[in-house]
Amino acid sequence: MKFKESLWKAYKGMGRSISRYPLTVLFLIAVAVLNSFMIENPREDYARYLFTFLVGAMLSIVGQMIYERFFTQLNARYLLMGGAVLLATGYYFAVGPQTLYNIAISVKTGVALFALMIAFIWIPSIKSVKAPFHRSFLSALKAFFTTILFSGVLAAGISAIFYATDYLLFNIDYKMLTHLLNIVGSLFAPIYFLSMTPMYPGKREEMIPDEAWAKRGETLERQFIVPRFLEVLISYIIIPLTAIYTLILVVYVVMNIRGEFWTDNLLEPLLVSYAIIVIIVYILACNLENKFADLFRKIFPKVLIPIVVFQTIASFLKIREMGVTHGRYYVILFGIFATIAGVIFSFMKPKHNGLIAIALLALSAISIIPPIDAFTVSKNNQIGFLEQKLIENDMLVNNAIVPKSDVSLSDKIVITKVASYIDNMGYNKEVAYLPSDFNVYSDFSDTYGFDMTYSETDYPQGEGEFVYLNWDADPVLGIANFDVMVHQYLYYSEVETSPVETTDFEVDGQPYQLEKRLDGTYYVLTVKDAAGEELIAYNTREVYDTIFEEAATSGFDKGNLTTEDATITTENDQIRMNILVNSLERTPDFTGGDLYLFIEFK
């Protein structure tokens, strides 16, 4: 009976959230419909529309929270809705047509969505005694994890029913499952999350009778209750673990503080992760009343300040080595935010925690609004940094690059990384001294006079070896007598790699299977018949060794492989197989490749 009541209560809550956030629901429906188009047409670029609908949904949520906190008249609500639509429309025209592979737009949109989520949590707490920021944050966090649990169970149930029907009764197009999960993720999950957002105190409460508000206030207080499980988790597990982590970090800093320490790549992520943990745990601990939580609130914000100062100094020192990238920009910005948070937590009462939301919103706006945004600053800095290095090495004369091989190893590394960043971000056309059709992988050696160099290792190119097929040369490959072509990605990393993968195909109505099995750090490709008998096996290490050896001895351009350079043949009495290399890459802890297999059955 209680289960039915809880279920009915949940559905009623979702119904109320639809009437409470009607514009948001319309945007979410648009997201779900757009995702359906993307499922059916995966090659089309719908990212511009998707980003617009997501921004519109978040703007409408924030608009509703502003209305509930500060207004009573319906006209204000309609104006805020109209403002959300106008801002979403302005975003659509501002981002331009190309969004899917535009890193700047993707990152800026992500930052904007994150800022809007913080605004959603912060607005109800503005000048509110009943709902300070740490309580609003707790409520949102509880709603988030409850939504994840319910959505996960629903998605697992739908998947189980789908696969059971597909295997036991009749075949179903796999896209149907994707469509169903799209509804769960795009509609059910956000609407359920919004249904768990309480009605916070606002202007309209002045018009509500005391008895009615007393009941609503009681409901609100229940929303802010910390579950016993969460209290135990934070007080007796997370806080002690954070204390131990702090001790290790402090000992590491004290033992290793020296010149190299400040530019150690290990330091920065450790300090950033530590700052994030302390900030989140502190906000949650403000909802608890016990000795562990009290000690954490008194001590750790004061420890946070010098830690994030260390992190920010380390980040600034890294700028001297490689200049400002958008990633470095955000790391420094986070260091500034964490310092502000540490000061607020250390010297102000918990009721003023909402000030960190203001700081976060201000810094987020700075990072996405030109000309001081992360990408404008990083673009100008990296282009200037590259020019500076070229001038220092006498490689820039009359606004043209002069190739030079006798450059110091450290400058080769810097020039390679900066040139790669500029190329990856699509800034080549804004560099006056680069050819209009410059590609960092195919033209680097000819342009700068040395191979791409990433680090001081034994590999010819520094960090690793690479080759690429030159598609710009319109390569032609004869396919006469071959029965089938199979595309294969090779990927090995010490972190995570799938040991065995299979690809099924047919030739003249007969089923075959290509097995890709990991052997050490390389894959063995095996063609098998319907009975599982091996027809041919080939260790792809031979591809790497052959191609890279020829690159070293014959000196062909590694970024402009011809089909003749990139083709390797292997055969036996049953099969002939041509392997066309689209790209290969090998480093001390990674091997990657993109191959086309042309198979002939004899």
Side-chain angles (χ1 to χ4, degrees):
M1 189 66 180
K2 287 184 178 180
F3 174 77
K4 289 179 64 178
E5 290 178 359
S6 299
L7 191 63
W8 177 245
K9 185 178 179 181
Y11 280 112
K12 283 180 66 177
M14 291 181 68
R16 285 194 296 269
S17 70
I18 292 173
S19 61
R20 186 180 175 190
Y21 301 96
L23 182 59
T24 304
V25 173
L26 288 177
F27 275 119
L28 292 175
I29 291 173
V31 169
V33 172
L34 190 63
N35 283 337
S36 296
F37 282 114
M38 293 171 70
I39 292 168
E40 294 296 330
N41 304 282
R43 295 185 179 181
E44 296 293 328
D45 181 5
Y46 294 106
R48 184 185 188 187
Y49 300 97
L50 180 63
F51 290 165
T52 300
F53 295 147
L54 290 174
V55 169
M58 284 305 305
L59 285 169
S60 60
I61 291 173
V62 171
Q64 178 64 22
M65 300 310 294
I66 293 173
Y67 165 72
E68 293 178 2
R69 183 68 187 92
F70 299 108
F71 299 97
T72 58
Q73 297 179 342
L74 281 177
N75 288 342
R77 187 186 189 193
Y78 297 143
L79 284 174
L80 288 167
M81 286 183 179
V85 172
L86 285 175
L87 287 173
T89 305
Y91 169 88
Y92 173 82
F93 288 107
V95 298
Q98 298 298 324
T99 56
L100 183 60
Y101 301 108
N102 191 312
I103 298 175
I105 291 175
S106 299
V107 172
K108 285 185 176 182
T109 302
V111 171
L113 292 173
F114 174 73
L116 290 170
M117 177 57 71
I118 295 299
F120 161 74
I121 298 172
W122 167 64
I123 288 169
S125 70
I126 299 175
K127 295 182 180 180
S128 175
V129 177
K130 297 184 177 68
F133 181 76
H134 56 269
R135 283 190 158 192
S136 180
F137 184 86
L138 173 67
S139 175
L141 193 69
K142 287 167 59 179
F144 173 76
F145 282 109
T146 304
T147 301
I148 291 294
L149 175 63
F150 275 66
S151 301
V153 171
L154 183 60
I158 291 173
S159 300
I161 292 171
F162 174 87
Y163 286 116
T165 304
D166 185 57
Y167 287 135
L168 302 177
L169 299 179
F170 49 84
N171 292 331
I172 310 176
D173 188 346
Y174 75 94
K175 289 184 179 179
M176 180 61 67
L177 176 61
T178 312
H179 283 296
L180 293 172
L181 295 180
N182 168 43
I183 294 173
V184 174
S186 302
L187 287 176
F188 172 82
I191 292 174
Y192 185 78
F193 173 82
L194 293 174
S195 73
M196 300 185 70
T197 303
M199 295 291 291
Y200 291 100
K203 283 286 185 181
R204 64 187 177 284
E205 270 61 66
E206 299 172 2
M207 307 171 60
I208 297 177
D210 291 341
E211 304 81 19
W213 170 242
K215 184 176 181 181
R216 183 178 293 180
E218 184 180 328
T219 303
L220 187 64
E221 286 298 320
R222 284 200 301 269
Q223 189 74 18
F224 295 147
I225 293 175
V226 181
R228 179 59 181 168
F229 166 78
L230 184 59
E231 181 178 1
V232 171
L233 180 65
I234 294 172
S235 301
Y236 307 113
I237 297 177
I238 295 179
I239 288 178
L241 289 175
T242 305
I244 297 171
Y245 185 58
T246 303
L247 180 62
I248 294 171
L249 201 58
V250 170
V251 171
Y252 171 77
V253 171
V254 172
M255 290 179 61
N256 295 278
I257 188 165
R258 59 182 185 274
E260 295 178 3
F261 167 82
W262 295 102
T263 55
D264 184 359
N265 290 330
L266 181 64
L267 176 66
E268 193 174 69
L270 283 174
L271 299 184
V272 170
S273 61
Y274 174 80
I276 293 172
I277 291 169
V278 170
I279 291 171
I280 293 176
V281 174
Y282 176 87
I283 295 172
L284 294 175
C286 288
N287 296 280
L288 305 176
E289 295 297 335
N290 59 58
K291 291 183 178 179
F292 280 94
D294 188 50
L295 284 172
F296 187 90
R297 291 196 298 267
K298 289 179 179 178
I299 297 173
F300 279 80
K302 297 175 180 63
V303 176
L304 177 65
I305 295 174
I307 292 291
V308 295
V309 169
F310 269 99
Q311 177 257 306
T312 307
I313 292 173
S315 298
F316 271 110
L317 290 175
K318 291 289 287 184
I319 290 176
R320 295 191 307 178
E321 292 185 5
M322 295 301 305
V324 180
T325 62
H326 63 277
R328 182 79 47 219
Y329 180 102
Y330 276 110
V331 168
I332 293 173
L333 213 62
F334 174 79
I336 296 171
F337 162 73
T339 303
I340 295 171
V343 172
I344 292 172
F345 295 158
S346 297
F347 304 106
M348 294 185 180
K349 294 181 179 180
K351 65 180 181 181
H352 298 298
N353 286 346
L355 292 174
I356 71 166
I358 298 175
L360 193 59
L361 292 173
L363 293 173
S364 297
I366 289 171
S367 75
I368 61 178
I369 298 176
I372 55 174
D373 65 290
F375 291 91
T376 302
V377 170
S378 63
K379 177 182 68 176
N380 295 335
N381 179 270
Q382 290 289 285
I383 292 175
F385 199 72
L386 177 61
E387 183 175 343
Q388 175 189 336
K389 284 296 175 184
L390 294 177
I391 292 173
E392 289 176 1
N393 288 279
D394 299 322
M395 295 176 62
L396 192 61
V397 179
N398 296 327
N399 207 33
I401 298 176
V402 178
K404 189 176 181 181
S405 60
D406 57 339
V407 178
S408 68
L409 182 58
S410 60
D411 281 352
K412 284 183 178 180
I413 294 172
V414 170
I415 292 172
T416 299
K417 291 185 176 180
V418 175
S420 297
Y421 179 84
I422 292 173
D423 182 83
N424 292 336
M425 297 301 297
Y427 300 151
N428 283 341
K429 292 183 179 179
E430 300 186 47
V431 183
Y433 44 83
L434 284 179
S436 59
D437 58 347
F438 176 79
N439 180 283
V440 73
Y441 297 108
S442 60
D443 303 325
F444 186 92
S445 298
D446 293 337
T447 302
Y448 292 99
F450 55 88
D451 287 333
M452 299 181 75
T453 309
Y454 292 96
S455 64
E456 300 179 23
T457 69
D458 295 331
Y459 282 87
Q461 285 75 41
E463 186 176 309
E465 301 170 288
F466 72 95
V467 288
Y468 294 90
L469 184 65
N470 183 12
W471 287 102
D472 293 333
D474 299 323
V476 177
L477 181 72
I479 58 173
N481 300 322
F482 288 105
D483 298 299
V484 66
M485 183 196 80
V486 183
H487 187 202
Q488 287 288 290
Y489 285 109
L490 308 179
Y491 176 88
Y492 167 78
S493 170
E494 292 180 351
V495 179
E496 180 181 358
T497 298
S498 176
V500 179
E501 295 179 15
T502 58
T503 302
D504 296 321
F505 62 93
E506 289 187 4
V507 174
D508 296 332
Q510 297 297 315
Y512 295 95
Q513 185 181 79
L514 177 66
E515 179 188 85
K516 184 173 70 174
R517 175 176 52 82
L518 189 63
D519 182 13
T521 59
Y522 297 90
Y523 282 97
V524 175
L525 302 177
T526 305
V527 178
K528 297 181 178 181
D529 61 17
E533 294 294 326
E534 178 182 306
L535 302 180
I536 192 172
Y538 184 79
N539 191 323
T540 57
R541 176 165 191 157
E542 296 182 32
V543 174
Y544 290 86
D545 292 344
T546 301
I547 294 291
F548 289 134
E549 183 179 350
E550 289 182 2
T553 56
S554 63
F556 60 69
D557 192 338
K558 296 175 284 299
N560 286 288
L561 290 187
T562 64
T563 54
E564 182 180 355
D565 295 329
T567 303
I568 293 176
T569 301
T570 181
E571 63 181 315
N572 58 20
D573 295 338
Q574 297 173 293
I575 285 180
R576 178 169 69 99
M577 184 163 64
N578 271 13
I579 301 171
L580 175 65
V581 173
N582 185 34
S583 67
L584 292 179
E585 185 175 359
R586 181 165 63 180
T587 71
D589 56 2
F590 168 82
T591 55
D594 183 7
L595 311 177
Y596 294 95
L597 309 182
F598 296 87
I599 303 172
E600 175 195 1
F601 291 85
K602 296 182 179 180

